Amino acid sequence: QVRLVESGGGLVQTGGSLRLSCAASGRTSAIGWFRQAPGKEREFVAGITLPGSDITRYSDLVKDRFTISTDNAKNTVYLQMNSLKAEDTAVYYCAARNYFGSVTRVFTTTVAYDYWGQGTQVTVSS
């Protein structure tokens, strides 16, 4: 069983920055960040393989603005979000994939992840 706790959401103006944190208990093979806006499906934002954190992947919507990283000592994954836009407004979730050995790619679908955090609201005002 893996427990995930997100933090770092909030209200920010267009062009601003936020850093989300996802603290994980237990071993996982990958962490993904997803987001869900009202009336829309949950969508992939960014992901990273663990341990080693050498494979990352980003949605085209956030590439070059968001950066995913890890602090292995703290078992925490971060999502640094820069140049935020109004369309980035959503509830952001981190998700973990069970560890059955190392994985060689980042999964972008919700069904590929076994555990989910409670979500953190990000609101970007224009």
Side-chain angles (χ1 to χ4, degrees):
Q1 187 77 13
V2 176
R3 183 168 178 259
L4 303 170
V5 179
E6 301 116 330
S7 61
L11 174 64
V12 65
Q13 290 187 331
T14 300
S17 299
L18 282 174
R19 189 178 78 161
L20 305 183
S21 300
C22 174
S25 67
R27 195 174 188 184
T28 70
S29 60
I31 293 283
W33 282 100
F34 291 75
R35 67 186 182 187
Q36 189 166 19
K40 294 187 177 182
E41 292 187 355
R42 194 167 296 189
E43 64 177 4
F44 173 79
V45 175
I48 191 165
T49 59
L50 299 168
S53 313
D54 56 352
I55 302 174
T56 60
R57 185 169 179 177
Y58 298 90
S59 160
D60 288 342
L61 296 174
V62 308
K63 196 173 182 179
D64 299 327
R65 297 189 297 124
F66 291 10
T67 303
I68 191 169
S69 63
T70 63
D71 183 334
N72 291 325
K74 296 181 180 179
N75 221 26
T76 299
V77 174
Y78 302 100
L79 185 68
Q80 177 66 42
M81 307 187 295
N82 299 329
S83 302
L84 283 162
K85 306 175 182 179
E87 50 264 44
D88 294 319
T89 295
V91 178
Y92 283 70
Y93 299 89
C94 70
R97 183 175 169 87
N98 264 323
Y99 184 84
F100 296 117
S102 297
V103 296
T104 57
R105 66 184 182 98
V106 173
F107 297 88
T108 63
T109 59
T110 57
V111 295
Y113 294 85
D114 304 290
Y115 305 99
W116 292 82
Q118 80 286 358
T120 185
Q121 177 71 46
V122 171
T123 303
V124 184
S125 64
S126 55

